[in-house]
Amino acid sequence: MIPASPEGALDAAEEAVDLLLDSGRSPGEVLVITTGEQHPWATHELSFGEASYWAQHDAGDDVFYADASTLSRAAVRPVVVVAVNGGPDTAAAGALPLALGRAGALLIVCGDPQRINSVLGAGV
């Protein structure tokens, strides 16, 4: 858990990804999920069409950024980073358990701990 405001959650997720890559993780091992506004990379790549976007996911060569609403389509990766960067509470409530199921070894959640605890109804 990396505490961050909704406005800072995406930056915190980016820093976590940088640290993971610097520590030797392969880019293809990392999936980043957003609960609010999409990551700029995802927005850019989706401008070329969904088929191209998901082909990059399937290739598994690079960090992949996805919106929480598409998480069920994402494959398992060793590391999943969730940026709770806004969106309705239902987005976070649905994304966090799915993200845990997609994380092969490590789940990193960036966001407001109070909000996350209230959404999940548990202490993290």
Side-chain angles (χ1 to χ4, degrees):
M1 176 74 198
I2 299 174
S5 67
E7 300 79 23
L10 196 53
D11 288 338
E14 285 292 330
E15 289 177 25
V17 169
D18 288 344
L19 289 171
L20 289 163
L21 298 177
D22 289 346
S23 71
R25 287 277 181 186
S26 165
E29 295 181 16
V30 182
L31 172 65
V32 179
I33 303 300
T34 56
T35 63
E37 187 174 320
Q38 285 188 340
H39 187 278
W41 180 91
T43 302
H44 173 76
E45 293 302 320
L46 280 165
S47 72
F48 299 107
E50 285 214 21
S52 172
Y53 172 76
W54 285 105
Q56 290 184 37
H57 167 271
D58 297 342
D61 296 331
D62 207 351
V63 176
F64 190 79
Y65 299 86
D67 182 77
S69 66
T70 63
L71 184 54
S72 63
R73 189 168 173 184
V76 171
R77 291 210 177 178
V79 181
V80 176
V81 180
V82 179
V84 183
N85 63 328
D89 285 348
T90 54
L96 292 169
L98 281 173
L100 181 60
R102 298 293 184 277
L106 179 63
L107 173 65
I108 300 171
V109 179
C110 305
D112 179 356
Q114 287 183 312
R115 179 176 183 216
I116 293 165
N117 285 334
S118 72
V119 164
L120 293 178
V124 289

